[in-house]
Amino acid sequence: MSKSHQMAAAPQAPDTARYRYTTIEGRPLAYLDQGEGFPVLLGHSYLWNARMWQPQIDALSRHFRVIAPDLWGHGRSAALPEGTRDMQDLARHNLALLDALSINECHLVGLSVGGMWGSALKQMAPERVRKLVLMDTYLGPEPAQSQAQYLGMLRRLEVDQALSEALLNMVVPMFFSPHIDPAAPLCQGFRATLEQLSTGQIVDSIVPLGRLIFTRSDRRDLLPTLDPARTLVMVGEYDLPRPPREASEMARLIGCPLQTIANAGHISNLENRHAVNQALLEFLLHGR
């Protein structure tokens, strides 16, 4: 970063991100809102919530206004609206959020399902997204083997209406690199969040959203239409659900840079927050 740029974007101490609410599809959608300046919209992973972005909110909000909504049925957002069937519907909901906040243009950073609906939003309203970061995500269809596994887990979850010990032992490790200590606060905190999911959240949102994600259509045809100068693909070195070969394929189709995050799994923004923060700031602060 040049000295002139550093002076122009002198960081201020970050605020504490606060939850706010707006009504979308007749239901309250919760979102975090911190900082001032050009807006950055963050889309989080399935089974997490907007607070997973806290390290990035603190770093980015020194330069930008950062908005991070909770996915339906996650965190503090209400249940998935009836009639939500695909990524385009989720994209429309987030466009409605931008409208409610009078935001005409933003950068968009989406991790996992956040990248799936984020790319759909970019296609739906290209003038609304200046730069797009696709993290630990894939616009192709779910591979048959993992799709069968995930749908089987969702059927079990629907019957049990809770995450059993056995299911937790399968789900939690998927989100992290194989080198992380299962007793680490990051893993245990995520596990505790899953244990606290209510029957209503599971039945009304977690299960139908999971089916929506894992039966998604193939949208790789969108990738060559993206501006490679305004697109970045990022992936954790040890991402299990969305392996680096998928990220490499997407970056090749776009013609954009691929940033591999060392020592990180699917939730790369938390396992190696410093590398992710550096990459995001470098990409979002520079260029057009």
Side-chain angles (χ1 to χ4, degrees), residues 204-256:
D204 297 334
S205 300
I206 301 299
V207 169
L209 262 173
R211 289 186 174 133
L212 180 158
I213 294 166
F214 302 125
T215 62
R216 65 187 180 277
S217 59
D218 187 350
R219 301 309 305 273
R220 284 174 293 184
D221 60 336
L222 163 65
L223 295 171
T225 72
L226 297 174
D227 182 350
R230 295 189 179 190
T231 310
L232 175 65
V233 175
M234 298 174 67
V235 65
E237 178 183 10
Y238 299 108
D239 192 335
L240 299 175
R242 300 272 67 93
R245 66 176 179 274
E246 294 180 345
S248 180
E249 176 193 0
M250 291 201 305
R252 177 179 55 80
L253 289 170
I254 299 167
C256 74

Side-chain angles (χ1 to χ4, degrees), residues 51-268:
R51 286 288 182 195
M52 71 170 276
W53 288 116
Q54 196 63 56
Q56 288 70 49
I57 293 172
D58 290 340
L60 294 174
S61 65
R62 297 175 183 272
H63 309 273
F64 302 98
R65 179 185 179 185
V66 185
I67 298 151
D70 277 339
L71 195 61
W72 297 112
H74 294 61
R76 300 188 184 185
S77 285
L80 185 71
E82 294 180 9
T84 305
R85 296 289 178 262
D86 53 29
M87 294 300 162
Q88 286 68 36
D89 288 331
L90 294 179
R92 278 190 283 272
H93 299 160
N94 282 278
L95 272 176
L97 172 62
L98 294 179
D99 289 342
L101 298 178
S102 299
I103 293 174
N104 294 322
E105 188 182 18
C106 68
H107 299 319
L108 197 158
V109 181
L111 189 149
S112 195
V113 68
M116 296 171 191
W117 66 251
S119 58
L121 190 156
K122 172 63 175 175
Q123 183 180 41
M124 190 177 299
E127 74 285 357
R128 305 291 291 272
V129 178
R130 183 179 298 179
K131 291 185 178 181
L132 177 65
V133 182
L134 300 172
M135 293 182 62
D136 299 282
T137 191
Y138 187 50
L139 269 59
E142 190 66 38
Q145 183 176 355
S146 56
Q147 183 187 71
Q149 178 188 13
Y150 295 148
L151 293 180
M153 294 166 75
L154 288 172
R155 285 193 294 271
R156 183 172 173 182
L157 182 56
E158 189 171 36
V159 170
D160 294 346
Q161 299 186 2
L163 278 96
S164 64
E165 187 77 8
L167 201 51
L168 284 166
N169 289 339
M170 294 173 63
V171 171
V172 173
M174 291 180 176
F175 287 84
F176 305 105
S177 75
H179 306 296
I180 195 169
D181 182 355
L186 181 56
C187 296
Q188 290 301 307
F190 177 51
R191 188 183 185 100
T193 299
L194 296 181
E195 290 174 333
Q196 294 165 10
L197 288 172
S198 69
T199 298
Q201 283 177 291
I202 290 170
V203 173
D204 297 334
S205 300
I206 301 299
V207 169
L209 262 173
R211 289 186 174 133
L212 180 158
I213 294 166
F214 302 125
T215 62
R216 65 187 180 277
S217 59
D218 187 350
R219 301 309 305 273
R220 284 174 293 184
D221 60 336
L222 163 65
L223 295 171
T225 72
L226 297 174
D227 182 350
R230 295 189 179 190
T231 310
L232 175 65
V233 175
M234 298 174 67
V235 65
E237 178 183 10
Y238 299 108
D239 192 335
L240 299 175
R242 300 272 67 93
R245 66 176 179 274
E246 294 180 345
S248 180
E249 176 193 0
M250 291 201 305
R252 177 179 55 80
L253 289 170
I254 299 167
C256 74
L258 170 63
Q259 181 85 39
T260 300
I261 305 301
N263 304 314
H266 191 58
I267 307 300
S268 58

